[in-house]
Amino acid sequence: MQKIMFNDRYGLTQAVIEGRKTMTRRLINLNSTSDVQVRIFAGYVQIIGRSGNVCVEKKLSYKVGEIVAVAQNYSSFYNILDNTRLIPEGAGWDNKMFVRADLMPHRIRITGIKCERLQDIQDADCLKEGVRYIPKINKFYFEGVRREEGFYFDNHREAFAALIDKVSGRGTWASNPWVVVYEFELVK
């Protein structure tokens, strides 16, 4: 079983666990112009050139139907009873990069995969990405470990653009890269 990581600084792991985040976009690192096509075929992302030939092929991280563990550091879910630990302290205790997938308490099932440009996201998909809405003040936002100026946004896309720039680096939204979109559901 594989694991997948979500950003804790902006509450995305918690949003997955609570069932509020059901979609994730993963950047496809390629230097492309707008005159290429990107498609998914046989478990690969293929970049098709103007001539119709496959220029680049990259294996997808996950496939439809696959069950994937949601990575969390052990200390975030493990209760210590009687001062004994079944999971030893170590790199995975505070860093989810080093945890074992089979020990994770939460899992997702990949239900759909597609490729698109980042800015082609639909408004409804922004909410599936973890953006939240406050009807009382008619504003959108995303979780953060500290509130900062510009925290509330007038629409879905502004909030998502700010979130993706926080998670993937400043300028990500403006560069409009190709992304693989994974839709998923929490497995109970």
Side-chain angles (χ1 to χ4, degrees):
M1 175 183 307
Q2 293 192 76
K3 65 184 175 190
I4 187 169
M5 289 192 272
F6 297 96
N7 191 299
D8 291 330
R9 186 171 187 186
Y10 299 104
L12 300 179
T13 301
Q14 191 60 36
V16 170
I17 292 167
E18 293 173 3
R20 293 183 288 108
K21 180 173 174 62
T22 59
M23 189 174 272
T24 188
R25 282 162 169 70
R26 303 296 165 125
L27 304 179
I28 302 172
N29 294 321
L30 59 97
N31 296 326
S32 70
T33 60
S34 59
D35 59 354
V36 298
Q37 293 180 356
V38 177
R39 72 175 182 190
I40 293 175
F41 181 74
Y44 288 85
V45 174
Q46 295 180 329
I47 290 73
I48 315 289
R50 275 189 251 170
S51 64
N53 295 333
V54 175
C55 303
V56 179
E57 201 171 59
K58 296 184 180 188
K59 187 169 175 42
L60 289 169
S61 299
Y62 312 103
K63 56 188 172 198
V64 172
E66 185 174 3
I67 305 287
V68 182
V70 178
Q72 295 176 263
N73 58 33
Y74 296 131
S75 65
S76 69
F77 65 85
Y78 187 78
N79 292 324
I80 301 170
L81 301 173
D82 300 326
N83 292 326
T84 59
R85 283 193 183 133
L86 298 176
I87 300 172
E89 282 191 52
W93 190 253
D94 292 318
N95 186 338
K96 64 184 176 182
M97 180 93 87
F98 302 107
V99 298
R100 287 183 23 200
D102 62 319
L103 295 178
M104 296 297 99
H106 303 286
R107 291 172 172 48
I108 59 173
R109 176 182 295 111
I110 305 298
T111 58
I113 303 173
K114 65 181 178 180
C115 282
E116 66 184 18
R117 289 285 194 170
L118 182 61
Q119 293 181 15
D120 291 341
I121 189 171
Q122 302 297 308
D123 287 349
D125 290 348
C126 293
L127 295 175
K128 292 178 182 179
E129 282 278 2
V131 168
R132 299 184 83 176
Y133 177 64
I134 307 171
K136 195 174 204 177
I137 61 171
N138 193 30
K139 296 288 182 183
F140 297 87
Y141 74 103
F142 55 87
E143 299 289 333
V145 292
R146 66 181 196 282
R147 293 191 178 238
E148 50 197 47
E149 192 173 324
F151 188 76
Y152 295 106
F153 302 91
D154 293 328
N155 63 55
H156 304 77
R157 292 170 66 78
E158 285 178 11
F160 178 73
L163 175 60
I164 199 73
D165 277 356
K166 295 280 187 189
V167 171
S168 298
R170 184 177 293 155
T172 300
W173 177 259
S175 69
N176 197 23
W178 286 97
V179 293
V180 175
V181 181
Y182 292 100
E183 192 154 13
F184 56 87
E185 62 187 8
L186 191 60
V187 177
K188 300 287 182 190

